[in-house]
Amino acid sequence: MNPAKKFKGKNLQTKPALSNRQWQVTDLVQPQFNSSYSTEEFLRAAADAWSLTERQDKQVQVAGTKCLVYKNPFNCCQLRNFVEDDSFLHQLKHELLSLNFHDKSNDLYKFRQSQDLKKVTTAAVSALKKFLYSDFRQWLIQVTGIELNATMDMSCAQYNHTDVLLCHDDELEGRRIAYILYLVDEDWNLADGGNLDLYSVDDSKQPDKIVTSLAPIWNSLAFFAVTPTSFHQVSEVLAAGSNKCRLSVSGWFHGKPFKRPPPFVEPVKHLSKPEDMDEDDFYTWISAAYLDPSTQGDVQSTFSEKSEIQLQEFIQPDKYGQLCEALHSLDVSSWITQGPANKRHYEITESTSATMLNETRKFFQSEAFFLVLSNLTGLKLHRLASTPSSSENESSSDEKPSNGTSKSKKGSSNDIDPCCRLQVSRWQTGCYTMLSDEDAHGSEYALDVWFFLSADHWQLAHGGQVSYIARGEDEELLTICPSNNCLALVYRDQDTMRFVKHINSLSGDLKHFTINGVYYDRPPNRE
């Protein structure tokens, strides 16, 4: 087969470019592939560039064209001037924007997506489907050496201001090559965001750092092979104009599935046992109201019904002010970024140089705090905590609380071995966590504790909320927004997952902090 003849762009007759409102479905119905990408010379050079395994340069320009093959961290090809005459793309864009889009939002992404384009029969969309999954699919096989079948898998996405798609690898049964055809405004630039960011991997083959970023360019198509290490993201869209969006057609070419390595298992994190703390010192921390038996009874009653509660003004104002000051005063080097990026991105401090932080950790890990948690929740987190009667246990274990975060099950009075995992965390633009089994694994029940600081000007639109959902579901059961001097308690089971929503650029230079932890009545079984 002569590849030059096979892939030569067709000399289609086109009408002069019209404005979006003037397009008719009978005008232009065929994409014209850039002829410079169809010559024998180009195909040989592109295949050679793709197959290079040792390359010092970050990218390879192919045969003097506007095709770039990025080699670091993995093969990714960008074809600029993808079609010869972009009049076709203007019609395509017009048809796509006429489709119904629906909002998609979870721990991984926030954007708007069209219906499955396989079912769309408009002229330009139909022509694009035919071209991509026939001639262009054969072109991809020639360049990459990856066998691809005719499975069609494509949709259209709109990313507007603050929309994002966080780090992931695209792995799903049969996916072999991912592609994105950009239909952004022709004046889109780096400052508008929405870049395709490619991650290197560490020794554990987990995403490490962004080493290559491709800005969306009108009439360009990017593609890469889907592998266990093809970690990438769509960075937050920063373009704030009401009529400016990152519009693209994206999808996958499918082929024979490849064998995947076993999933990476993160090391088990350290659990701390309750510590002694002087009683008088403890009383200087906690607001007196939460030591009152009547208040504790009211809180416990609410918590038993809902499995969650948020307690305002939890610690005394002077301690709260001192703690905020200590956190803001920490040196930049005191903060450690938490990853990998396909699971989380935020900072913690393990600094022991600040006396106030040491006292804070001692307070939240103290025997007295475990006892107070027991009295506020009715959970058996301390040997001195009162134990509900067995009949209460039996009835409550069969009931689902109104918010659905967990079954309202009280701990056993026997054999408890309380422990916790505690972090001092900083949250700002770009921070998030994703759904993870990290804390749920091996433990039937757990108590999440979130204490928020320096959230004075925090707004819902900034992100950063803690969201709880049922495993396998999208609907949020509970959302906790950062609020000054607020202690949030959430009792959950193994089928309740949580994540912290991506904090977007609307937050500006704002930062807030959390003392966040997980409390158990006994160490989780990790076997």
Side-chain angles (χ1 to χ4, degrees):
M1 177 183 70
N2 185 333
K5 291 182 179 179
K6 175 66 179 176
F7 299 114
K8 187 174 181 181
K10 299 175 182 177
N11 295 318
L12 301 174
Q13 297 296 316
T14 64
K15 296 184 178 181
L18 305 173
S19 69
N20 281 349
R21 293 184 179 179
Q22 293 175 299
W23 283 114
Q24 302 295 323
V25 295
T26 56
D27 286 323
L28 178 64
V29 295
Q30 283 280 16
Q32 183 178 349
F33 192 36
N34 189 328
S35 58
S36 65
Y37 298 147
S38 302
T39 66
E40 289 186 60
E41 177 190 4
F42 176 87
L43 287 168
R44 284 194 298 268
D48 288 344
W50 186 268
S51 63
L52 281 175
T53 55
E54 296 183 7
R55 182 76 189 187
Q56 297 298 319
D57 297 340
K58 189 176 181 180
Q59 64 192 47
V60 180
Q61 184 177 6
V62 180
T65 67
K66 291 191 175 182
C67 169
L68 295 175
V69 177
Y70 294 85
K71 304 300 296 182
N72 187 24
F74 51 81
N75 273 347
C76 181
C77 182
Q78 182 185 54
L79 298 168
R80 300 188 184 187
N81 294 343
F82 180 63
V83 297
E84 200 99 279
D85 184 344
D86 68 355
S87 299
F88 168 78
L89 297 184
H90 286 288
Q91 180 181 355
L92 176 66
K93 185 173 182 177
H94 173 69
E95 290 181 10
L96 292 171
L97 290 175
S98 300
L99 299 176
N100 292 323
F101 286 77
H102 55 277
D103 293 331
K104 292 180 69 69
S105 179
N106 61 17
D107 61 316
L108 179 62
Y109 49 68
K110 183 174 81 74
F111 63 96
R112 304 187 73 221
Q113 188 176 55
S114 74
Q115 65 218 70
D116 188 339
L117 292 185
K118 284 191 297 186
K119 302 175 182 178
V120 177
T121 59
T122 56
V125 172
S126 297
L128 179 67
K129 290 187 293 185
K130 181 179 179 181
F131 167 67
L132 287 180
Y133 287 90
S134 56
D135 284 358
F136 187 66
R137 176 170 62 90
Q138 293 300 323
W139 184 96
L140 283 173
I141 294 171
Q142 183 90 355
V143 169
T144 67
I146 301 172
E147 287 300 322
L148 305 171
N149 60 43
T151 301
M152 188 176 294
D153 188 354
M154 62 190 299
S155 63
C156 178
Q158 286 186 19
Y159 287 77
N160 297 301
H161 188 214
T162 74
D163 285 351
V164 69
L165 172 58
L166 299 174
C167 179
H168 63 292
D169 62 11
D170 263 5
E171 265 205 292
L172 200 64
E173 192 75 10
R175 290 180 179 176
R176 296 306 309 273
I177 291 180
Y179 69 89
I180 313 99
L181 173 61
Y182 292 107
L183 301 170
V184 295
D185 292 353
E186 296 183 52
D187 63 348
W188 193 279
N189 57 59
L190 277 173
D192 291 323
N195 302 321
L196 175 61
D197 294 332
L198 312 181
Y199 285 82
S200 61
V201 294
D202 59 20
D203 293 340
S204 300
K205 304 301 183 184
Q206 296 300 293
D208 187 20
K209 298 177 181 177
I210 296 170
V211 296
T212 297
S213 293
L214 282 68
I217 299 173
W218 167 258
N219 191 11
S220 71
L221 182 140
F223 67 88
F224 57 88
V226 176
T227 73
T229 57
S230 57
F231 292 105
H232 60 283
Q233 72 168 11
V234 175
S235 66
E236 181 186 345
V237 170
L238 304 175
S242 59
N243 296 319
K244 200 167 189 178
C245 77
R246 180 189 184 276
L247 186 72
S248 64
V249 173
S250 59
W252 296 270
F253 292 92
H254 289 242
K256 184 179 178 180
F258 51 83
K259 186 177 181 180
R260 301 173 184 172
F264 173 69
V265 179
E266 294 189 88
V268 176
K269 294 184 178 179
H270 174 71
L271 290 169
S272 300
K273 297 296 181 68
E275 301 177 3
D276 290 332
M277 183 177 188
D278 182 81
E279 186 176 343
D280 291 337
D281 289 342
F282 182 82
Y283 289 157
T284 66
W285 275 84
I286 189 168
S287 294
Y290 296 113
L291 295 174
D292 180 80
S294 176
T295 301
Q296 290 182 348
D298 292 341
V299 170
Q300 185 179 136
S301 177
T302 299
F303 186 84
S304 295
E305 178 185 351
K306 297 183 176 181
S307 289
E308 64 90 11
I309 196 166
Q310 297 173 47
L311 307 177
Q312 306 296 327
E313 305 299 325
F314 185 74
I315 68 173
Q316 297 197 24
D318 59 332
K319 291 292 187 185
Y320 175 78
Q322 292 170 33
L323 180 53
C324 288
E325 183 179 351
L327 289 167
H328 282 289
S329 300
L330 283 178
D331 187 83
V332 173
S333 61
S334 298
W335 294 100
I336 307 165
T337 300
Q338 299 297 286
N342 60 333
K343 293 185 178 179
R344 63 190 70 86
H345 181 77
Y346 63 98
E347 297 170 312
I348 68 166
T349 182
E350 297 175 346
S351 173
T352 57
S353 60
T355 302
M356 192 63 193
L357 287 183
N358 294 336
E359 292 180 3
T360 302
R361 293 188 185 96
K362 190 172 184 178
F363 169 74
F364 280 98
Q365 293 174 179
S366 67
E367 289 265 8
F369 186 70
F370 273 78
L371 180 57
V372 168
L373 284 180
S374 298
N375 292 339
L376 292 171
T377 63
L379 304 174
K380 189 71 176 179
L381 295 171
H382 194 280
R383 65 187 183 281
L384 298 181
S386 59
T387 305
S389 68
S390 58
S391 61
E392 288 174 335
N393 282 337
E394 291 169 1
S395 62
S396 63
S397 63
D398 294 330
E399 296 175 358
K400 191 84 171 180
S402 58
N403 73 354
T405 54
S406 73
K407 292 180 180 179
S408 183
K409 176 182 178 295
K410 303 293 188 284
S412 169
S413 61
N414 300 320
D415 239 6
I416 69 165
D417 185 15
C419 54
C420 71
R421 180 184 299 116
L422 197 69
Q423 288 184 336
V424 180
S425 308
R426 181 168 74 171
W427 305 86
Q428 55 191 325
T429 301
C431 290
Y432 60 85
T433 70
M434 297 193 203
L435 297 175
S436 172
D437 287 328
E438 178 190 2
D439 286 319
H441 176 65
S443 178
E444 186 179 2
Y445 297 94
L447 178 68
D448 285 349
V449 172
W450 296 88
F451 181 67
F452 298 96
L453 305 100
S454 293
D456 308 64
H457 303 290
W458 208 264
Q459 299 177 17
L460 191 65
H462 297 163
Q465 303 93 332
V466 185
S467 295
Y468 286 81
I469 67 171
R471 187 187 299 272
E473 301 292 334
D474 290 329
E475 184 179 355
E476 294 181 14
L477 302 173
L478 172 67
T479 300
I480 303 172
C481 298
S483 178
N484 276 348
N485 200 358
C486 173
L487 183 78
L489 305 175
V490 182
Y491 192 47
R492 59 181 171 84
D493 59 19
Q494 286 180 310
D495 291 325
T496 305
M497 315 292 286
R498 72 178 185 282
F499 65 95
V500 176
K501 290 189 177 181
H502 175 260
I503 298 175
N504 60 54
S505 57
L506 293 176
S507 63
D509 295 328
L510 293 177
K511 299 178 179 66
H512 75 269
F513 305 90
T514 59
I515 313 296
N516 52 292
V518 187
Y519 288 72
Y520 305 95
D521 61 1
R522 56 182 56 80
N525 177 13
R526 298 289 177 175
E527 297 179 0

